[in-house]
Amino acid sequence: MDPAFRELLADFLSEGFERTDAVEHHLLAMPSEDIEGRREGVIAIKRQLHTLKGNAGMMGLGDLQQLAHTLEDRVEVLDAEDRDGLATGIDSLLQGVDQMRAHLRSLTREETAEETDRDSDLPAPPDERAEENAKDPGSNALSQTPGADARSKAAQRSPAERGQDAPSPNAIPTSGLDQEGDDGVQALGFRASDGRIRIPYAKIDELVELQAEALVLRTRLAEAINAGTDVATALRISTLRQARRTAGGGDGSSSADGEPERWENVSDAWQALEKSLDRMQDRIIDLGMVPLEGLFRPLGRIVHDESRREGKRVELKVRGGETPIDKALLEVAGEALGHLVRNAIIHGIETPDVRTARGKPPIGAVDLKAAVVSGEVRIEVADDGGGVDLEAIERQMVDHHPDATARAMTPGDDPFAVVFEAGITSRGDADMSAGRGVGLSAVKASVERVGGRVELRSVAGKGTSFQLALPLTTTILRSLLLRADQETYALPLSAVTESLHLDTSALHTVNQTGVLRWRGRVVPLLDLGLAFETTDTMREEGFAIVIETGGRARALVVDDIAGIRDIVVKSLDPIVGHPVGISGSTILGDGRVIMILDPVTLATIPSATGPAS
Amino acid sequence: MSDAKQTPPSGSDSERDADHPERIYAFADAIEAERERSTDSEAGPAPRPETWVSFEIDREIYALPVEPVKEVLRVTEITRVPHAPNPVRGVTQLRGRVIPVVDLALRLGLPERQQDQGNRILVVGSKGRLIGLLVDRVHQVMQLDRNRVQAPPDDVMTSRSDFVTAVYHLADRLILMLDVDRVLVIREAQDVA
C-alpha cells in the first residue's frame, strides 16, 4: 500500500469510528427525547452517515459506501410514533452500526497488518489478553466477534426480544470481509490499540517551550560548572555578585576565592533544571491521558442491549466524563466498567413489576461517577437495585469451599470481599452474560495488576455500589523499596496492607508452610530470597510485608525496608520471558537497575517450608 | 578451530585494554566510521564488501553485521532477573534505558564459561528493541567479501544452526556469521534456569 494512501486511510478510519460512535450515541438517546429532539437526532444521524458515505466513496471503499447508504435510507424507521415501533427501528439501526464497526475494524486490521509488515516490531508476543477474553465466560454477546452477523446475534437474543425483531436482518448487505478474531474491548466500541492519539497543538507547543527552557538551563549549568576553571567567567560572576551584594548591602562573609560561589551557581542552575524537567515530565504524562468519556460512551450501548435482554428498564446517568485517565489503563478500565455495568443490570436492577411492588420507580438507575481523588482516578458504578444477598453468598461459600470453616469470616474483614471470589454468584441460573461467578474475580485481578482496587458496598433492598480506583498514571509508581540478600526490589504501594517487624512469636508452621499470625488471621509467609532463589533458608529476622491481592494474602519476608519512592516504570524486553513475580524494572538514583515486584503473580509462588524452629 | 596464537586480543591484551578505556571508544568510533562509509556508498556499485564485527566465544570467531551493533560496553553491574530463561544474565541500563543482557554462548547452546575482564557487551538494536549480547571478547570491524561466504557445514553446527546463517573462510580460519534477528527471536519454550 502506498504510504500516502495508508496515512489517508488511517485518518479515514479514525474519523469513521468517531462518526459511527456518534450515530450510536444519537440512536441510544432517541427513546428519552421528545418529538423535537428526535427530529434533531434523525438529522444528526443522517448527516453523519452522509459524510461517512461520501468519504468511503472517495477512498474507493464501495462496500462501506453501500452500507452507509442503506443505513441512511433506513433512518426513516425512526419516525415511528409508537414506543415499540421506535425501539424496533433503533435496534435494526444499531445492528447496522455494528456492521459498520466490523467493516472499519477489518480495514484497520489490514492497515495495521501492513504497517507491521513494513516496520514490524517484535516477533509478536502471544496476545494473552485476547486469550483471557476468550476464556472469560463473563463476556457476553457484545464482546463476541463482530462477525456477529445478524443471524447469530438474533439467535442469541431472548425470545421476548426476538419477537420484536421485525425487520429482516438480511436487509442490510453483509460483505465477505474477514470479520473474525477481535477482542472484547474493541467490541465494546472503543479502540485502545489503534496506536494513535490526538494531541492538540497547544500541548506540543508547551512541550517545545519547556524543552527550550531545559536547554537554556543545561547551558547555564555547564557554564556554572566550568566557571571554576574559566577564570574570566569566574571573575565576571564574582564581580557581578560583588556588585549585587554591594548594591543590596548584604554581608560580605562569603569567601572571595570564588569556589563556594561557583557551587552556589551550580546548585542554583541544577535546581532550576530539575524543576524544568519535572514540569516537562508532568506534561508528557499528561499527553498520555485521555478523558474517560471515550469509555463511558460504549456503556450506553451495553445498558440498552442488556436491559432489553433482561426485560428491564434502566437509565444510565454519567458524571465526570472529563476525568483524565492514562491511556495505558483504558483497556483494563473499559473491561471493568463493562462488567460492572452489566452486573448492575443483570444482578442489581429488578424487573419493572418487582420494582413497582417494592415501591421503587419502574425504571432502574445506574449511576456512573468519575473524579480524581487524592492522586487516583475513582469511578463509582451504583445501582438502585436489590443489593447483594450476603446470606445466599455465604451458603454458596460453604458449598464451594468445604474447608470454609478454616477461613471463616473474622470481625474486621470486609463482608463483601467474598463477592470477588471465583465461583461465587448471586444468581441461581448462570447464563452467557453473567452469573458464572468468574467475572468479578477477573475484574478484581486485572485492576489490581495495574495497581488499582475494586470495592463493593451494598445495602440489601436499596442497591449496590462498586468503587473502582485506578492509579493516575502507569508510568510512575509509588513503591516500597525492599531488600533481601543484597538485592533491592520495588513493591507497588497499592498492594501493601501493612509492614511489620518480624516477630518470631507470631511465626508458625501449618501443613509444613510457614505462616504469620496477623490480626487474628493466618497468612502464608513468602520469603523473597527463597522465591527468587537468592537463599535457601527462610530468614527469621527482618520485616514482613503483608500484601493482599486477587483474594490472596501473603506476608513477604525481607531483610529491610529501604523507604518509599516514586519510581519510573521501565518495561522488560520480551526476551526475558514473563518471570513470575516480576512486572518490570526501574532505575534508582544511583543508576542501579532493580526489579518491580508483581503482587498478583508473586502471591501464586508456593510458600516454602516454615522456619526451622 | 582456532588456536590461541591466531586470536589477536589475547587475555593479557584485554587486561591492558581495561587500563585504557579510550580503546573501547576508538573501537566504537571505528564502527561509527564504517557505518557512515557503508551508508554513504549506498548509491554506489552493487557488489561492495560488507562490514561485519567479529568477536570470540569459546575460542571460536563469530561475526554480526555492523549495522545493528550500536555500541560496545564493558561489563558493569548486571541486575539478575529472577526466573528469567537461562541465557538471560539480567538487565543493565544504557543512558536511562533498561536493556536485557543475553549470554550469547548460552544462547548458542555452548557451555557456561568463566567470566573475565575482556568480556564485552555488544548492544544490538533491531526493530525498536535494544539488547546486550555478552561475548568473550570483541575482535575487529572487518570487510567481508560476499564471494567467500559459504553455507554452514552440517556437521559443526547442530546446536547453532538456528543462528549461524553462513561461514566465511579467512586464510586459516572460519568465521561463523550470525543472523541478529534469529538470535533475538523470542521462543516460547525457553529453558528456564
Side-chain angles (χ1 to χ4, degrees), chain A residues 120-123 126 531-534 570 572-577 579-580 582 585 587 591-593 595, chain B residues 77 79-85 88 91-93 96-98 100 102 127 129 131 184-186 188 190:
Chain A
S120 118
D121 265 331
L122 315 174
F532 293 150
E533 294 157 1
T534 52
K570 308 266 179 185
L572 293 172
D573 186 277
I575 205 160
V576 305
V580 175
I582 304 291
S585 63
I587 303 174
R592 261 187 310 154
V593 180
M595 295 293 119
Chain B
E77 198 172 351
T79 305
R80 194 179 77 100
V81 179
H83 305 302
V88 176
V91 292
T92 191
Q93 67 134 324
R97 210 169 148 173
V98 173
V102 175
K127 297 169 182 173
R129 297 164 70 196
I131 287 167
L184 301 189
V185 80
I186 297 133
E188 276 316 298
Q190 271 170 333

Side-chain angles (χ1 to χ4, degrees), chain A residues 541-557:
Chain A
E541 52 186 47
F543 291 85
I545 321 292
V546 180
I547 58 169
E548 284 180 284
T549 172
R552 297 172 210 247
R554 288 286 182 277
L556 298 183
V557 180

Side-chain angles (χ1 to χ4, degrees), chain A residues 376 436 566:
Chain A
E376 285 181 326
R436 300 189 189 211
D566 284 327

Side-chain angles (χ1 to χ4, degrees), chain A residues 21-42:
Chain A
D21 287 351
V23 169
E24 182 176 61
H25 176 77
H26 286 300
L27 283 173
L28 292 172
M30 207 60 74
S32 48
E33 300 278 8
D34 57 10
I35 300 279
E36 189 53 36
R38 269 197 259 165
R39 195 170 301 136
E40 279 171 23
V42 167

Side-chain angles (χ1 to χ4, degrees), chain B residues 11-82:
Chain B
S12 63
D13 232 13
S14 32
E15 266 149 41
R16 274 193 284 125
D17 194 31
D19 299 331
H20 297 279
E22 66 278 5
R23 286 189 182 209
I24 215 78
Y25 297 114
F27 178 77
D29 286 347
I31 291 184
E32 201 50 51
E34 284 301 338
R35 188 174 300 133
E36 268 164 27
R37 238 172 57 106
S38 53
T39 39
D40 283 351
S41 57
E42 201 112 65
R48 63 194 163 82
E50 292 176 17
T51 313
W52 287 61
V53 182
S54 65
F55 49 90
E56 181 186 327
I57 298 172
D58 199 22
R59 295 186 304 283
E60 283 190 286
I61 310 294
Y62 293 82
L64 278 172
V66 75
E67 200 277 323
V69 179
K70 308 295 179 202
E71 231 165 307
V72 180
L73 304 176
R74 289 177 183 291
V75 182
T76 50
E77 198 172 351
I78 296 178
T79 305
R80 194 179 77 100
V81 179

Side-chain angles (χ1 to χ4, degrees), chain A residues 272-289:
Chain A
L273 181 59
E274 197 175 51
K275 259 185 223 150
S276 166
L277 289 176
D278 279 352
R279 272 205 305 279
M280 204 187 302
Q281 186 182 40
D282 285 351
R283 293 292 172 284
I284 289 170
I285 287 173
D286 190 47
L287 286 186
M289 308 284 269

